[in-house]
């Protein structure tokens, strides 16, 4: 199907883009990679009257770390940039694990992490990764800039808290309180598919104690799920096999899977539990790991 008729603008500055979006109100949409927006328009699930393509705006394609370790990802940083990133491989194990699991190479070459957060698909992998990491989104609009925690930014399936006129210009991961570990595991029916189940785990450990833990889930609820009870149970303690089992149980309880063509709710909940145990057990001494 062809999209409905729309006006297309490709501004060269953020200021111009914000003016266009403000003028367009609810009928205007930002286009970044177009990998989610264009298919929706072709199916006529979205029929914006104005598309503001931000790809001609310079200086948004970065990802970099500040001196204190804060990671910043610009609105035009592609999934493929993150997949190939030495910075991520060296400092962000959860993100580095997720990047190659997003879609297929064609989609990764165009799609953006920030666009994925804005799209707020319950099966989007980045929202759970960023939730586990305690990340935030920087929005810029007519009233200036503001930071929104990812857990507050994604309010439901395909819903975010951006106001008309605002652009998400950057995603931010705060510095770690110690050594980072963790990862992302994704069950998919075939390579490149959306998640049947995805689990993101992010740990920050110092002196043998977990200083901060984050666990979040993809594809097992109406939106990204933060398993806060499980994460809270790990924080402030030394990681033990018993603690891992408890966190896995609490995470499985937080999941809200539904039976569908990808599998039964029971199977998906079981996989959530299994993935949490697998990811957290990597941080145990070899002798403590289950055989
Ligand atoms: C075949 C296929 C398979 C896929 N598989 C996966 C997968 O396995 N895992 C996964 O996570 N994703 C998957 N995706 C989605 C893909 O990751 C998209 O790239 C991503 O969801 C959206 O990023 P984008 O830059 O393309 O955003 P766009 O399509 O340009 O935009 C998506 C939405 O976000 C809004 N938006 C985008 N950027 C901004 C911004 N800076 N400020 C404000 N609003 C903005 C747009 O207005 C639109 O509503 C798949 C897509 C396809 C086509």
């Amino acid at each position: 199907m062809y999209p409905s008729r729309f006006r297309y603008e490709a501004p060269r500055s953020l200021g111009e883009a914000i003016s266009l979006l403000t003028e367009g109100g609810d009928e205007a949409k930002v286009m970044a990679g177009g990998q989610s927006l264009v298919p929706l328009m072709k199916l006529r699930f979205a029929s914006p009257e104005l598309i503001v393509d931000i790809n001609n705006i310079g200086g948004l394609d970065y990802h970099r770390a500040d001196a204190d370790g804060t990671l910043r990802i610009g609105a035009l940083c592609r999934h493929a940039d993150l997949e190939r990133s030495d910075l991520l491989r060296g400092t962000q194990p959860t993100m580095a694990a997720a990047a190659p699991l997003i879609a297929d190479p064609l989609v990764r070459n165009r799609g953006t992490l920030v666009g994925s957060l804005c799209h707020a698909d319950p099966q989007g992998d980045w929202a759970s990764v960023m939730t586990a990491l305690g990340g935030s989104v920087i929005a810029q609009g007519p009233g200036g800039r503001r930071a929104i925690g990812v857990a507050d930014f994604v309010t439901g399936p395909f819903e975010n808290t951006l106001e008309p006129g605002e652009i998400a210009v950057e995603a931010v991961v705060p510095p770690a309180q110690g050594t980072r570990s963790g990862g992302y595991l994704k069950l998919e029916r075939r390579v490149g598919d959306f998640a049947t189940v995805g689990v993101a785990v992010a740990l920050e450990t110092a002196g043998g104690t977990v200083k901060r833990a984050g666990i979040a889930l993809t594809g097992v609820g109406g939106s990204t799920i933060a398993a806060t009870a499980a994460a809270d149970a790990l924080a402030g303690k030394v990681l033990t096999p018993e603690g891992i089992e408890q966190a896995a149980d609490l995470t499985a309880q937080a999941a809200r899977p539904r039976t569908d063509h990808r599998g039964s709710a029971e199977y998906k909940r079981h996989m959530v539990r299994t993935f949490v145990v697998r990811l957290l057990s990597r941080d145990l001494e070899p002798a403590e790991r289950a055989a």
Side-chain angles (χ1 to χ4, degrees):
M1 225 191 302
Y2 292 105
S4 326
R5 205 175 169 81
F6 60 90
R7 179 180 150 209
Y8 172 84
E9 298 285 352
R12 295 194 169 269
S13 73
L14 266 179
E16 205 188 326
I18 290 166
S19 299
L20 284 162
L21 286 169
T22 308
E23 181 194 315
D26 288 339
E27 300 305 327
K29 281 254 172 225
V30 171
M31 186 168 81
Q35 298 303 298
S36 295
L37 182 59
V38 172
L40 285 181
M41 288 172 67
K42 289 183 78 174
L43 291 166
R44 299 212 176 183
F45 290 149
S47 302
E49 287 174 8
L50 170 64
I51 291 294
V52 179
D53 181 345
I54 59 172
N55 285 276
N56 284 342
I57 302 175
L60 290 177
D61 57 354
Y62 59 90
H63 70 285
R64 59 172 176 253
D66 293 348
D68 70 353
T70 303
L71 178 70
R72 299 185 183 278
I73 304 129
L76 289 177
C77 176
R78 316 284 170 180
H79 306 312
D81 299 329
L82 299 171
E83 182 185 9
R84 297 184 196 121
S85 167
D86 290 335
L87 175 63
L88 255 54
R89 260 192 297 280
T91 60
Q92 298 285 349
T94 310
M95 294 182 73
L101 301 179
I102 315 279
D104 53 52
L106 293 177
V107 173
R108 292 202 289 276
N109 280 339
R110 291 300 300 167
T112 64
L113 177 145
V114 172
S116 175
L117 297 179
C118 292
H119 187 52
D121 187 333
Q123 286 177 304
D125 298 292
W126 285 125
S128 43
V129 169
M130 294 296 281
T131 300
L133 286 163
S136 54
V137 171
I138 308 297
Q140 187 169 335
R145 281 190 169 218
R146 63 187 179 115
I148 312 151
V150 171
D152 297 323
F153 181 73
V154 178
T155 46
F158 309 104
E159 277 178 19
N160 65 48
T161 52
L162 286 177
E163 300 287 344
E166 280 187 322
I167 297 180
V169 289
E170 187 177 82
V172 178
V173 178
Q177 307 165 36
T179 305
R180 265 193 211 288
S181 58
Y184 187 71
L185 288 174
K186 175 172 174 177
L187 177 69
E188 48 193 356
R189 291 173 304 173
R190 57 182 179 277
V191 172
D193 194 12
F194 282 97
T196 300
V197 172
V199 175
V201 166
L203 289 188
E204 296 164 26
T205 309
T209 304
V210 176
K211 296 291 175 193
R212 183 191 170 280
I215 302 178
L217 309 177
T218 312
V220 286
S223 61
T224 302
I225 293 174
T228 41
D232 291 350
L234 294 168
K237 297 184 188 139
V238 173
L239 202 61
T240 61
E242 297 73 30
I244 291 175
E245 292 292 327
Q246 185 196 13
D249 284 340
L250 289 168
T251 309
Q253 284 164 27
R256 296 188 300 276
R258 291 175 67 164
T259 298
D260 61 14
H261 59 291
R262 288 188 157 89
S264 69
E266 188 189 10
Y267 169 59
K268 293 180 192 178
R269 199 183 294 280
H270 175 75
M271 288 312 300
V272 166
R273 196 184 184 291
T274 302
F275 280 171
V276 174
V277 172
R278 273 188 205 164
L279 286 164
L280 288 172
S281 296
R282 293 174 183 173
D283 280 10
L284 291 175
E285 295 301 324
E288 290 180 299
R289 286 182 208 153

